[in-house]
Amino acid sequence: MSSDPFSDILKLTNAEAVTTGGFTAGGKWSIRFPGRDKIKFFAIAKGECMVRLEEAAKAVKFETGDVALLARRQSFTLFNDADIEPLEAVSLFSARGRTTAQLGNGQDFTHIGGHILLDPQRGHLLADILPSWIHIRAASPYAKTFRLLLDQLIEERAAALPGTQLASSQLTQLLFIQVIRAHLANSDLLPAGWLRAISDLRIAPAIRVMHETPDHPWHLRELAQACAMSRTAFALYFKNVAGISPLSYLTAWRMHLAERQLREETTSITVIAQSLGYGSESAFSNAFKRVIGISPNTYRKQSAPHLP
């Protein structure tokens, strides 16, 4: 495994950001977007507007270079005039088989939208740790990178050069990662959990070594030493940040890796157990059943019936 826990989670969940469309606008306008069971993202490449979330008390302003992630199912409205009856995005885009639209002369405002594709079985690892709403403003320290990525993305979509589809996909993925990085920069404000733990500098060394060598028989003393902390101070601080103890985090990470191997590989359960630091198949099976709720054999049969 790598020494980059966040990349590990992105790979484990097969997180892939894709651009699905956008629109330009001029004059007065308003569009309502339905709630979706996907992590949605959008960026303002030109102009400004207001955003009203279904669950929010009031609308917030979005300006050129602002980017947002919406990780919970709720509708939202983008508008520059609150008195206008919103157009329904479903009618404006999907019903006409279009991914882009123009309102008015289209000269004042440019919006880029998309969503994050996640593995249907492992995606919750990422979806569950993201807050429902992330708004990164163009005034943030990441503004320059956002601006470069947005400008290049617009250029790629407009030019239709060879490789545009792949280039746009990679730029969108980079934009998504930059949004998460900007959000992690305020890790002290995050609730206890995976996302806060992987971004906390004090326990980062322990997180890294657990991800790098999950087969090592880690003890609390070793993990504390990696962070230059006493066992008691480390255990208390880790639980306050991650919401679980260090060894519970290690077990959870091992089980996530085990799930992937059981779904995607024909490797024997004994070999999987050894690769994750368990001395016997029975010890691994007991741990797996305690965490996942079913035995490894049952899990493999239910999640990967095509495997022999």
Side-chain angles (χ1 to χ4, degrees):
M1 298 299 294
S2 71
S3 59
D4 181 357
F6 184 58
S7 291
D8 292 341
I9 292 177
L10 291 182
K11 293 174 184 176
L12 198 66
T13 58
N14 290 334
E16 179 185 357
V18 295
T19 304
T20 54
F23 67 92
T24 58
K28 298 179 179 180
W29 57 272
S30 180
I31 304 177
R32 181 187 293 115
F33 294 81
R36 301 290 191 190
D37 290 324
K38 294 179 179 178
I39 300 174
K40 294 183 65 68
F41 84 86
F42 58 89
I44 309 304
K46 179 182 179 181
E48 61 183 43
C49 71
M50 301 297 290
V51 181
R52 182 186 295 114
L53 299 174
E54 176 187 349
E55 299 176 358
K58 60 181 181 179
V60 296
K61 188 175 184 178
F62 262 69
E63 300 176 301
T64 302
D66 282 15
V67 183
L69 286 181
L70 182 61
R72 300 290 182 272
R73 183 187 179 99
Q74 61 175 309
S75 62
F76 63 95
T77 303
L78 303 181
F79 63 93
N80 70 354
D81 190 324
D83 295 328
I84 295 179
E85 182 67 23
L87 295 172
E88 296 296 334
V90 172
S91 300
L92 188 62
F93 297 100
S94 302
R96 301 181 185 181
R98 300 189 306 184
T99 59
T100 61
Q102 178 178 311
L103 304 179
N105 59 25
Q107 296 179 359
D108 303 330
F109 182 84
T110 301
H111 161 277
I112 297 175
H115 59 255
I116 312 303
L117 298 175
L118 294 172
D119 182 276
Q121 292 180 303
R122 301 190 296 269
H124 67 90
L125 293 177
L126 180 61
D128 290 352
I129 62 175
L130 290 176
S132 61
W133 173 250
I134 299 176
H135 177 187
I136 307 299
R137 299 185 181 277
S140 77
Y142 290 81
K144 183 178 180 180
T145 302
F146 285 161
R147 184 74 260 170
L148 290 172
L149 290 172
L150 284 172
D151 288 346
Q152 186 63 33
L153 185 57
I154 292 172
E155 185 176 333
E156 286 290 342
R157 289 164 60 83
L161 297 171
T164 287
Q165 185 175 2
L166 181 58
S168 297
S169 175
Q170 297 298 321
L171 288 166
T172 305
Q173 186 78 355
L174 283 172
L175 187 61
F176 166 60
I177 292 174
Q178 286 297 114
V179 170
I180 301 300
R181 284 176 174 172
H183 181 63
L184 292 179
N186 297 314
S187 60
D188 290 345
L189 304 177
L190 300 176
W194 280 75
L195 196 59
R196 184 175 171 187
I198 63 177
S199 60
D200 188 283
L201 295 179
R202 291 188 66 188
I203 62 173
I207 298 287
R208 283 197 297 268
V209 297
M210 285 190 280
H211 279 244
E212 285 175 349
T213 52
D215 60 327
H216 182 79
W218 292 107
H219 295 287
L220 188 61
R221 174 181 53 80
E222 293 176 288
L223 296 172
Q225 286 177 344
C227 299
M229 300 170 69
S230 69
R231 287 184 9 170
T232 301
F234 170 72
L236 180 61
Y237 185 79
F238 192 103
K239 189 167 186 178
N240 286 338
V241 171
I244 56 176
S245 71
L247 296 183
S248 293
Y249 180 98
L250 174 61
T251 298
W253 178 241
R254 285 170 168 172
M255 294 306 107
H256 293 318
L257 296 177
E259 287 182 294
R260 179 172 63 182
Q261 292 184 73
L262 289 167
R263 280 193 303 268
E264 301 177 359
E265 303 173 9
T266 57
T267 307
S268 72
I269 293 177
T270 298
V271 172
I272 292 176
Q274 293 172 346
S275 73
L276 298 175
Y278 290 92
S280 67
E281 181 178 326
S282 61
F284 164 70
S285 295
N286 289 336
F288 189 91
K289 188 171 184 178
R290 184 175 67 253
V291 175
I292 307 302
I294 56 177
S295 71
N297 271 319
T298 301
Y299 182 89
R300 171 168 274 173
K301 290 176 182 177
Q302 291 181 354
S303 61
H306 61 285
L307 294 176

